[in-house]
Amino acid sequence: MQGKSKGSATAMKAVCAALFVVFVISYVFFYQCDVLAMTQYAWSDGLKHYDRIVGGVVITSVVFAVAVLTAMFSRLPLRFHTLCYFPSLILLGMLTAVRQEGSSVHGAWGWLAFGFLMLIIAVFSMRAAVSYKAYLQPLRAHSFLSHPWWINGLLFFLQILTVYAMGNNDRTLHTRLAVERYVSQRQYDMALRQGFPQYDNDSALTMLRAMALANTYDRDSVCQLGECLFKYEITGGSRSIIACSDKSNAFLLGSGYGLWQTIGFVPFNRDEHPVVMIGRQLQRERMRQVVYNDTLLSREKRDSVAKPVCSKVAKDYLLCAYLLDRDLKGFAKALPSYYALNDSLPQHYREACVLYGRIMDKTLYHDTSVEADYDDFLSVMRANKNSQLRRSALRDSFFGTYWYYYYMGSGAARH
């Protein structure tokens, strides 16, 4: 009978240890890996980058060692065995109890204070449990559903809930960090699959998705920025597609140099309006092309301007900046310089051309199917007098079009 009791106790301890390791690995390797990377990058002033595998192994090993030492020194009764994992889990919760503001990462001091308080309570609780051990009734049932299993299972579940409550659970931040991680790894398709675009309202997400789209090309080698940008929720206007000097729109896992590498230049003044900043570089590019094509100049002079000053997607950044600011006149003036006005135009550019033609009563580009879709859009908008019903109806049918952003997106005037 005694051997059976020892076997049951060993089995329960083994199951608890396995559940603990599985939870820590899931929490560290998958759920909070990007938050840990953000914290290390911010607190090291960008000098160190978090390695998911190395960091996960180290954290898992440390918290498991703390749990083993706690079990050795506390000698808790079998009914309260999972309390030996409590200090480890509280430390894990404190490690991820952070909040993000701009490009800064701060400790969530309320949760950190709670964690220290819980550690103190854990010490006294363990001492009380050990003292109470002599008064416990002998265990008579050793089946899977006996009292020790239920008590330890409930305690372990409550501890897991405490860890989740302490850690950073901002869904938008988690989506933003996942997108940035995939963008930094040049896995642009994976980056664009992250999150719920209908509900993610964050200007940094707009910047990261625009960068991913600018590096994604169709069969005709045309970047997808003008084709798909408005299929995502947009926040912040044209300034949302670049990193701002005031850190309000910043990268959290790296320097963000890849953004300027994508556009093709690093600006001297990041406070400039994107239209002015990118437009100036494109104008310089055109002037350099004129010099390069001038056969009367020397070979040395022509070679000095052979290297481009911006990338080929800079034109799409400029055109999308006009659209994000709802500047249809600027867009209509710039579009013919970069694209032929035919059916090869990206979707959002065709939609903007139709909208421009209707508002300005000027034909920039004509597409029968797009015109018909816009008429349907107007019919739905005019059929709903209530603003909330109108927004809901248009979102259901036309979210992902430039028209929806123009009339219903953030910063739009109420119609």
Side-chain angles (χ1 to χ4, degrees):
M1 190 71 180
Q2 186 177 0
K4 185 177 180 180
S5 176
K6 288 183 178 179
S8 178
T10 302
M12 191 190 71
K13 291 179 180 180
V15 170
C16 290
L19 289 175
F20 174 77
V21 171
V22 169
F23 169 72
V24 174
I25 290 175
S26 302
Y27 191 76
V28 173
F29 276 83
F30 301 103
Y31 185 58
Q32 295 284 11
C33 63
D34 294 322
V35 171
L36 292 169
M38 174 190 69
T39 303
Q40 179 164 346
Y41 181 79
W43 289 359
S44 67
D45 292 327
L47 299 178
K48 296 182 179 180
H49 293 267
Y50 179 80
D51 186 278
R52 184 179 183 181
I53 296 178
V54 175
V57 170
V58 170
I59 293 172
T60 303
S61 301
V62 169
V63 295
F64 187 74
V66 171
V68 171
L69 292 174
T70 304
M72 289 174 57
F73 289 102
S74 64
R75 298 184 179 277
L76 288 165
L78 186 60
R79 294 179 182 179
F80 305 113
H81 171 71
T82 51
L83 285 179
C84 69
Y85 298 109
F86 190 58
S88 298
L89 292 172
I90 290 296
L91 291 174
L92 189 62
M94 293 171 68
L95 185 64
T96 54
V98 295
R99 56 186 177 87
Q100 170 264 333
E101 294 179 359
S103 61
S104 301
V105 178
H106 309 283
W109 300 115
W111 280 116
L112 291 176
F114 172 82
F116 281 114
L117 178 62
M118 287 296 100
L119 288 176
I120 295 172
I121 293 175
V123 173
F124 287 100
S125 298
M126 289 178 187
R127 292 185 61 183
V130 172
S131 301
Y132 182 63
K133 185 176 182 179
Y135 302 98
L136 291 175
Q137 294 293 327
L139 297 175
R140 297 179 180 178
H142 306 291
S143 65
F144 183 78
L145 297 178
S146 63
H147 285 291
W149 288 94
W150 282 108
I151 294 173
N152 282 288
L154 178 60
L155 289 174
F156 193 71
F157 178 71
L158 292 175
Q159 292 175 74
I160 288 176
L161 288 182
T162 303
V163 174
Y164 271 110
M166 292 180 66
N168 187 301
N169 299 302
D170 186 338
R171 183 182 60 80
T172 300
L173 177 62
H174 279 255
T175 301
R176 171 182 173 180
L177 292 173
V179 173
E180 184 174 344
R181 169 162 52 86
Y182 283 118
V183 164
S184 66
Q185 297 170 356
R186 300 181 184 275
Q187 299 182 40
Y188 302 113
D189 289 339
M190 287 297 297
L192 294 171
R193 295 175 192 168
Q194 303 304 306
F196 303 90
Q198 292 89 340
Y199 304 103
D200 287 326
N201 295 313
D202 186 90
S203 60
L205 265 174
T206 301
M207 173 183 68
L208 292 166
R209 284 171 172 151
M211 181 178 168
L213 290 169
N215 286 280
T216 304
Y217 297 87
D218 62 11
R219 295 179 180 178
D220 298 323
S221 298
V222 177
C223 85
Q224 296 296 286
L225 195 58
E227 183 74 22
C228 301
L229 178 61
F230 295 96
K231 294 180 181 179
Y232 298 89
E233 192 75 51
I234 303 294
T235 302
S238 64
R239 290 191 180 276
S240 65
I241 59 175
I242 62 170
C244 303
S245 60
D246 61 0
K247 305 296 184 181
S248 60
N249 209 34
F251 288 82
L252 299 176
L253 302 179
S255 64
Y257 177 72
L259 170 65
W260 305 116
Q261 192 176 37
T262 296
I263 301 177
F265 65 92
V266 178
F268 294 105
N269 180 11
R270 297 187 185 183
D271 290 327
E272 275 191 316
H273 195 281
V275 168
V276 177
M277 177 198 305
I278 301 172
R280 182 192 304 115
Q281 293 297 323
L282 288 170
Q283 180 63 30
R284 288 181 59 201
E285 181 74 16
R286 285 195 291 268
M287 294 173 64
R288 289 166 72 91
Q289 286 297 319
V290 171
V291 173
Y292 183 73
N293 294 325
D294 190 349
T295 57
L296 299 178
L297 296 178
S298 65
R299 179 77 179 184
E300 181 180 358
K301 178 65 175 177
R302 293 171 62 197
D303 289 344
S304 67
V305 297
K307 185 177 180 181
V309 297
C310 53
S311 70
K312 61 181 181 180
V313 302
K315 65 180 185 299
D316 292 289
Y317 268 92
L318 176 66
L319 294 172
C320 286
Y322 279 122
L323 294 182
L324 287 166
D325 288 337
R326 300 177 174 82
D327 184 359
L328 293 177
K329 290 183 179 179
F331 169 80
K333 183 178 180 180
L335 181 63
S337 301
Y338 306 110
Y339 281 95
L341 301 181
N342 53 36
D343 293 344
S344 65
L345 278 173
Q347 176 184 338
H348 297 316
Y349 298 168
R350 283 181 281 142
E351 293 167 348
C353 286
V354 169
L355 183 61
Y356 171 80
R358 293 295 184 90
I359 293 177
M360 303 299 176
D361 197 20
K362 296 180 181 178
T363 302
L364 183 62
Y365 163 76
H366 179 71
D367 186 310
T368 304
S369 62
V370 179
E371 293 272 0
D373 290 340
Y374 183 63
D375 288 333
D376 293 340
F377 176 88
L378 292 177
S379 298
V380 174
M381 187 168 66
R382 292 165 180 166
N384 293 275
K385 302 301 181 182
N386 183 279
S387 60
Q388 294 299 325
L389 293 177
R390 182 193 311 137
R391 175 177 293 274
S392 178
L394 290 173
R395 174 177 282 275
D396 291 341
S397 302
F398 293 97
F399 180 85
T401 65
Y402 179 65
W403 311 318
Y404 180 85
Y405 170 79
Y406 186 87
Y407 287 103
M408 297 293 163
S410 61
R414 296 298 171 228
H415 296 270

